[in-house]
Amino acid sequence: MSGPLDGIRILEIGDRAEAAGLLLAAAGADVIRVEPTEGSRGRRVGPFVADKPGQERSLHHAYFNANKRGITLDPSTGDGLTIWRRLLERADVVLDGTAPGSLDKVNAGHESFKAMHDGGKLVWCCITPFGLTGPWKDWAVTDLTQIALGGPMMSTGYDDHEIPPIRPDGEHSIWMGGEFGAIGVLAALYERETSGLGQLVDVSIHESISCTVEGAFPNWEYASRLVQRQTGRHSSPARTAPWQYMASDGNYINLMGGGIPRARGNWTDLIKWLEEFGAAEDLAEDKYQQAIHSDPMQATQERARISEVLGKFVQSRPAEEVYRRGQGLHLPYSVIRRPEQNLDDPHWIARGFFGEVDIPDFGKARIPIAPYMLEATPNSVRRRAPLLGEHNFEVFNGELGLDTNQLVAIAGAGSI
Amino acid sequence: MPDKALSRIRITDFSGVLAGAGASRILAAFGAQVIRVENPANKGAWDPLRASAPYIDERRGHNFGGGWQNHNVEKLGVTLNLATPKGRELFPRLVAISDIVAENFAAGVLARLGFAYEQLQSIKPDIIYLSNCGFGHWGPYEQFKTWGPIVQAFSGLTYTSGLPDRAPAGWGYSYMDHGGAYFGAIAMLAALHHRHKTGEGQHIDLATTEAASTLMGTHILDYTVNGRRTRNEHGVDSNRGEALMAPHNIYAANGEDEWVAIACRDDAEWRALAGEIGKRAEDPRFTMLEGRLAHRDDLEALVGIWTADQNKFAVQRRLQALGIPAAAVQRPEERVDKDPNTAAWGLWPQVHHNEMGKVRVDGIPVHASATDWEIKRGAPLLGQHNYEVYGGLLGMSDGEIAALTAEGVL
């Protein structure tokens, strides 16, 4: 068995459904990525193998499409539409990341499908920048503009507000929409077990981002307070002490909440650690122990002083040492790592977290594969990302029964 | 009223803060009956949000935490002290009528109370057990303490956010508490499918650091394939980003701390933007993408001068009319009170909370045409549904419940 979603058949079309498809494919669904004949946009997105662009060289494509099969199909052509409709009849789910209305313009979208098959079992999930009906549904977007509008940006940046707010790297708008796409699809599939019916699942990326900004909303709704962005720590209505420092080896570390323990035992251990290096200064005084019970988001003189002494100390030690000794005292401290630094981390090696995938013109490379470890049905990399049209014959001939002559003619007309 | 998508599902739920409570909240909105179990001995203080700011008024205490109320809507709330023998006798009765047991304690806490997966399974053979913590339930770091910022720091999410020659900016909130919740919801739903098909439950060992790493597969591949470290000596510029677009940045607009995002995806969009900027933008260096990337500093200074005396929403309107990706960097009050898209979506439904009254909460960014979500009920007060659950579901008498309450079991 390939995973909990073994036997679920998904057609994925359009670029905004890539992450949803990845998450469902990782859980064992048979996801067929439907690409335009010239290849999906992701194939032109870097980085590339050896930095040379090319249809089969994008590492973006390689990552987001592992575990999927791939076909080329243009549903705006007559033959293409016929094949698309036959594929729909055999599918459980469509993950539709195309622009709102664009598939229906060529009679290939959810409205056309509903007109023909109302009451069918297909779950059709659209993942679009602003939902199918929102007033901004036709706006032009990139990840940058979505993160700006949706709120994470105004909460993220530096203490110095002359510096612009920051968009974190990576296509997080696609991830947030993809996570909710997976949730919506799975909830609808579960419901289908009772009703026997599919439904339309409308996922808005803007709305996904807008409800993924933690404290900004409750602070406004409950207390009419605006949170202000701060360097390397939570945005807050009032300025808080730093959490992030450069360690003696040049790596950064994060001392969650300023590094101040909440429990008395942890506090005593922490003072002992500082004293070992002659760095406790005046922190052994009773008033500081009292201060650890105050609200971490409220700045007090004592908390500021503790942070100051702790900050000075950790800047004098290497980052991994601060991380491991701090965690050894049950304190939420971490080294700030580059994503790839965890490839050799003993914890993830022990858990077998990273799997291997084939990269064309390179060989085997390690990638994250198991975002959730379901112990009865472990995740695995079952196949590398598809080459362009790699499974055309397998799907069109093997599953739909089109013969070679038909396929040559259809391909010649540019439909596949 | 038609059933909701998950009306047949019941979850016995210890999950707290956001990474845990956020997952069962989504399933509750789609109709699952979520019974949040809290310890009466400390009035639910294991979850620090229960009594934490923001507050709706001057009242304080365990029924007034704003974040807690936001993350626990549509759930039932019961108290149960598992440190007491009677509490440990009662808990299996809840497990026996549940589909899922979920928690985000530190690794090993529930097992030490006598309820590891094997024990849960012996109570209910097809139980699904979701454990959700930073490093998972086994491995060298299983006892390490994590909160959202630590997950982000360890996994690389912090590192990849910022500007060159500066410290990482990170994320200004616990992005991975949301992410942990979403991955938890996906995993629970996937496990329900597996159970439906095979009759088999399972333990889901969710590690939020692993969920976070999943978001950075492309960065990791760039290293494993090309040997490239995520930051060069000057660091990432995450506003310019990895996309080959210029301009692609955040520009100061008119007003204090007001900003607008602009990206040109191709040469035609730049020509349209240049037409708005006027004569100063007629620079042959900028005609083609290669030239704009090579002279990025000059290009962005030019755009920044143009935006500096304009309202951010005016820039947004003007460029969207031309099909150019442009967006105001919105503040909370703009997103919540003035954004026509979130309003049309119904993203902030109003609930009724028994102490706070009417208050808006985060909705769900998914609308399902036949069995949509609904959020109407506010988060439970501590032990609010003891009679409904222990009496209504388990058949205990009012007298028994009152006695257990007096003994500190409930």
Side-chain angles (χ1 to χ4, degrees), chain B residues 62-314:
Chain B
H62 57 262
N63 285 327
F64 296 98
W68 201 91
Q69 134 74 9
N70 190 64
H71 307 332
N72 291 281
V73 292
E74 285 296 327
K75 300 180 188 175
L76 302 175
V78 302
T79 48
L80 183 63
N81 187 346
L82 286 177
T84 64
K86 284 186 180 170
R88 285 195 296 273
E89 274 169 39
L90 188 51
F91 178 63
R93 295 176 63 186
L94 281 178
V95 176
I97 58 166
S98 295
D99 300 282
I100 299 173
V101 173
E103 53 94 349
N104 66 328
F105 295 131
V109 166
L110 195 58
R112 284 196 293 278
L113 288 165
F115 298 104
Y117 171 59
E118 290 68 27
Q119 279 83 45
L120 299 174
Q121 202 182 16
S122 71
I123 300 164
K124 178 116 188 317
D126 66 351
I127 197 77
I128 292 163
Y129 168 44
L130 170 70
S131 65
N132 171 345
C133 63
F135 285 107
H137 265 209
W138 56 276
Y141 302 163
E142 65 179 43
Q143 290 306 317
F144 282 15
K145 297 282 177 269
T146 60
W147 295 82
I150 298 302
V151 173
Q152 289 152 205
F154 183 81
S155 61
L157 281 165
T158 301
Y159 204 92
T160 45
S161 171
L163 295 178
D165 299 315
R166 294 185 186 280
W171 288 73
Y173 61 98
S174 287
Y175 173 52
M176 273 320 293
D177 281 2
H178 288 283
Y182 305 159
F183 278 83
I186 293 169
M188 282 191 278
L189 290 165
L192 283 171
H193 277 276
H194 182 75
R195 190 193 66 170
H196 184 82
K197 205 164 48 196
T198 65
E200 185 183 37
Q202 60 183 310
H203 173 203
I204 305 159
D205 179 19
L206 176 66
T208 49
T209 50
E210 293 174 349
S213 182
T214 301
L215 307 181
M216 284 171 295
T218 307
H219 288 97
I220 291 169
L221 270 184
D222 200 19
Y223 177 77
T224 53
V225 173
N226 291 328
R228 181 177 296 116
R229 288 161 38 129
T230 295
R231 279 185 157 199
N232 61 32
E233 59 187 300
H234 298 294
V236 291
D237 183 333
S238 62
N239 280 353
R240 285 183 174 180
E242 69 280 12
L244 291 177
M245 298 182 208
H248 182 282
N249 219 323
I250 307 303
Y251 304 92
N254 186 32
E256 196 191 330
D257 203 23
E258 299 285 3
W259 308 87
V260 61
I262 300 174
C264 287
R265 293 168 294 185
D266 54 33
D267 296 340
E269 287 182 356
W270 163 250
R271 277 196 300 279
L273 172 57
E276 292 297 294
I277 295 175
K279 213 145 185 65
R280 283 175 299 133
E282 290 171 12
D283 185 327
R285 292 178 305 165
F286 300 153
T287 309
M288 310 286 283
L289 175 65
E290 291 68 25
R292 293 197 301 282
L293 289 171
H295 302 284
R296 233 174 156 154
D297 290 345
D298 291 350
L299 175 76
E300 287 174 348
L302 177 72
V303 177
I305 290 167
W306 179 71
T307 59
D309 58 358
Q310 298 186 70
N311 176 281
K312 63 184 178 183
F313 291 110

Side-chain angles (χ1 to χ4, degrees), chain A residues 49-282:
Chain A
V49 178
D51 292 334
K52 277 187 266 177
Q55 196 149 268
E56 306 301 346
R57 305 185 68 84
S58 161
L59 296 175
H60 169 97
H61 175 79
Y63 183 64
F64 277 88
N65 295 284
N67 288 323
K68 300 177 189 174
R69 297 193 286 163
I71 60 174
T72 53
L73 185 65
D74 179 357
S76 73
T77 64
D79 287 333
L81 184 59
T82 304
I83 294 175
W84 173 243
R85 285 180 173 161
R86 289 188 59 192
L87 287 171
L88 292 177
E89 284 166 20
R90 301 165 54 87
D92 297 293
V93 177
V94 175
L95 282 174
D96 177 356
T98 63
S102 60
L103 280 178
D104 271 312
K105 246 183 249 165
V106 296
N107 299 316
H110 62 93
E111 286 178 17
S112 321
F113 180 81
K114 189 175 177 217
M116 293 169 67
H117 295 273
D118 199 12
K121 69 178 181 71
L122 187 65
V123 171
W124 193 305
C125 174
C126 295
I127 303 176
T128 58
F130 297 99
L132 289 172
T133 55
W136 292 345
K137 70 183 171 68
D138 297 320
W139 274 17
V141 298
T142 68
D143 182 76
L144 178 84
T145 64
Q146 294 235 271
I147 297 291
L149 270 181
M153 198 178 275
M154 205 60 201
S155 287
T156 298
Y158 293 94
D159 291 345
D160 177 356
H161 287 186
E162 295 295 309
I163 302 170
I166 298 295
R167 177 204 78 126
D169 204 14
E171 293 195 69
H172 290 283
S173 60
I174 296 298
W175 278 112
M176 289 181 241
E179 289 154 22
F180 276 106
I183 290 169
V185 161
L186 291 173
L189 280 175
Y190 195 79
E191 193 279 335
R192 192 180 73 168
E193 304 291 357
T194 307
S195 68
L197 300 174
Q199 56 184 311
L200 176 65
V201 176
D202 178 7
V203 178
S204 163
I205 292 173
H206 177 60
E207 272 54 40
S208 300
I209 300 167
S210 299
C211 69
T212 306
V213 204
E214 208 195 11
F217 169 71
N219 268 292
W220 175 247
E221 173 66 11
Y222 291 76
S224 304
R225 299 191 303 195
L226 295 177
V227 294
Q228 302 291 330
R229 62 190 187 276
Q230 312 192 88
T231 306
R233 64 195 187 282
H234 270 47
S235 52
S236 169
R239 183 58 57 91
T240 60
W243 300 3
Q244 178 175 283
Y245 299 93
M246 188 192 278
S248 64
D249 56 6
N251 289 307
Y252 285 91
I253 41 186
N254 182 299
L255 311 184
M256 161 76 190
I260 303 176
R262 284 163 175 262
R264 187 171 299 182
N266 295 349
W267 172 255
T268 313
D269 290 342
L270 176 63
I271 298 303
K272 275 190 211 147
W273 178 22
L274 296 180
E275 283 172 343
E276 188 183 317
F277 293 91
E281 302 196 17
D282 57 344

